[in-house]
Amino acid sequence: MEHTLIQLAAGFEAAFTWWNLAFIILGLVIGIAMGVLPGVGALTAIPVLIPVTFYMEPVTALAFLIAITKGGTSGGAIPAILLNAPGSPENVATARDGYPMAQQGKPVKAMRMSLYSSVFGDMASDMVLILLAAPFAAVALYFGPAELTTIIVLSFTLIAGLSGNSLTKGLAAACLGVFLSTIGLDPEDGSQRMTFGIVDLYDGISLNALAIGLLALSSVLSQLFVIWRPGGVAPPESMPYDPKDQGILWSEFRSCIRTLFRSAYIGTFVGMMPGLGVTLAGFLGYGAAKRASKTPEAFGKGALEGIAATEAANSAVTGANLIPTIALGIPGNIAAALLIGAFIIHGITPGPFMLQSNGELVYALFASMLIANMAHLVIGRLGIPLWVQATKVPKAVILPVVTIVCVVGVWIPSNSIFEIGIMFVFAAFGFVMRKTGFSLVSLFIGFLLGPMLEHTLRQTMVLNDSNVMVFFTKPLTLPFTLLTIFFIWRLSRR
């Protein structure tokens, strides 16, 4: 512990330079700006800017890229709160309580809670990264294909049961999402699966197009339907802005402290497990908060606790996904995989010997991450008055703008008219699902984790001669299997 503190102090000395601070701030601003655009996000900015970092010092370059990731995660909450159009998939759960709060005339309150929770989750996971990188990375080595399969199935059950009023409809939507994720070329033998000879489907349905269409554009269609139908009226605009009810009282923040710690723990755990992703962390944090709350009926209607749960969990992944990256050389998610490329560009090889061969740089990077959290709090706080102006724009202006932003969000990373068409197809499909009570969230999570579920399930069956009893006999699979059965029983009795 003492050695770690000494190393971290030396890291702060190396990281605390004007040049480094300038690029941390620039990275945060870029990340937030990218996060505000639905479907664009930090993952679009990072690969574009990695070549630029070749001319920087390694610490500055990596701090700059990580700052983009931190800003992008919290930036995606802004359109989720103000427009009900999440900037990134991980902010979908934020919209469940953030948007209703904005509609109640409290957009600043919602965005402040989102910002504070995001910084809290970030800081918590960064501390775990600094103090427990090697021991926690060792835990991930015990999770094989069977364990990951049971974790994913448990996640489907929790999300299906908590994202809607019907467990059956939720599970059906999740299964449909998994089915849609199988479209494309078989990862094992390269055979075509439901591509119908369309070359654009060889790589499967675009996650970006599906997410934007299903979650953002379908919301626009729902609001337009209310306006256009005979006798329809426009959805209510936000209530008059009340400056007296925009701050976060200490009593309100204190009531969310348990939720913040719980979600930070969940996000850190998910971040340490390669491949599970930020989106899953957000929904698990939200579901855990709802189950633990004394007033679960308030969730989905503008509960501060719901915003805190989601943002703390998804932001906690940012630091935690570097644990397997630094200690094992295994990326925790796509952002970490891109950072591995940046490490290699600067002559650094992630893995077990990284702390030995590049210890000074690693601790300077840790210090830069902590500095970025503090800068994030200041920059985010200063930017809230700017973003809240969006609530004063009439729906007649907002909805077309959101539609255009959605189209741009699909076009920028793909340059594909076909994917724009896919987006509109899923927008219509999402509209129907909203009207019939099926869970959009369950379908999306099913699609997101479908490839991983297929991969781990195939590996499990091959390694165990297709014996399904492996899910009930291994020490680490049995608890997750029993939890899945318990939650299905419990949620079906609601």
Side-chain angles (χ1 to χ4, degrees), residues 66 81 86 109 130 189 243 274 290 323 353 364 394 430:
I66 290 175
I81 292 170
K109 194 183 193 77
I130 294 167
D189 58 23
K290 186 176 181 179
I323 293 175
F353 301 104

Side-chain angles (χ1 to χ4, degrees), residues 77-272:
I78 294 170
I81 292 170
L82 298 180
L83 307 174
N84 200 25
S88 302
E90 58 260 33
N91 303 112
V92 173
T94 307
R96 295 174 68 87
D97 285 288
Y99 184 66
M101 186 169 288
Q103 290 298 101
Q104 295 165 13
K106 305 174 186 177
V108 172
K109 194 183 193 77
M111 286 191 286
R112 284 180 178 175
M113 193 71 232
S114 171
L115 174 65
Y116 300 157
S117 304
S118 181
V119 172
F120 182 93
D122 245 341
M123 185 67 75
S125 71
D126 287 351
M127 294 304 297
V128 171
L129 170 65
I130 294 167
L131 298 174
L132 303 171
F136 270 81
V139 174
L141 295 176
Y142 291 97
F143 282 80
E147 288 78 10
L148 289 175
T149 299
T150 53
I151 290 174
I152 294 171
V153 173
L154 174 61
S155 302
F156 285 161
T157 303
L158 290 175
I159 293 166
L162 296 170
S163 62
N165 296 323
S166 170
L167 175 64
T168 303
K169 287 186 176 181
L171 289 175
C175 291
L176 178 58
V178 174
F179 171 76
L180 291 172
S181 73
T182 63
I183 294 175
L185 298 180
D186 189 295
E188 299 292 333
D189 58 23
S191 60
Q192 296 185 37
R193 301 189 300 193
M194 295 171 288
T195 61
F196 307 104
I198 301 173
V199 176
D200 294 280
L201 287 177
Y202 283 8
D203 289 331
I205 295 173
S206 165
L207 172 63
N208 195 36
L210 179 141
I212 294 176
L214 190 69
L215 303 171
L217 200 54
S218 68
S219 174
V220 174
L221 289 180
S222 296
Q223 295 181 61
L224 289 175
F225 177 78
V226 173
I227 297 173
W228 290 343
R229 68 181 179 181
V233 295
E237 302 289 343
S238 298
M239 293 171 63
Y241 182 82
D242 181 7
K244 296 180 180 179
D245 196 19
Q246 299 301 326
I248 304 295
L249 301 176
W250 169 243
S251 59
E252 293 175 322
F253 187 82
R254 185 176 56 198
S255 68
C256 295
I257 287 178
R258 284 189 179 181
T259 297
L260 290 171
F261 275 102
R262 185 192 307 110
S263 288
Y265 168 78
I266 291 171
T268 300
F269 177 79
V270 170
M272 289 188 298

Side-chain angles (χ1 to χ4, degrees), residues 297-361:
E297 67 279 359
F299 280 67
K301 300 176 183 178
L304 274 177
E305 200 174 353
I307 299 173
T310 304
E311 288 301 309
N314 61 35
S315 294
V317 176
T318 304
N321 63 34
L322 291 180
I323 293 175
T325 303
I326 291 175
L328 302 174
I330 301 172
N333 59 11
I334 298 174
L338 293 172
L339 288 173
I340 284 182
F343 278 119
I344 294 171
I345 285 176
H346 290 277
I348 304 163
T349 303
F353 301 104
M354 185 174 173
L355 284 169
Q356 295 179 11
S357 58
N358 300 101
E360 292 183 4
L361 183 145

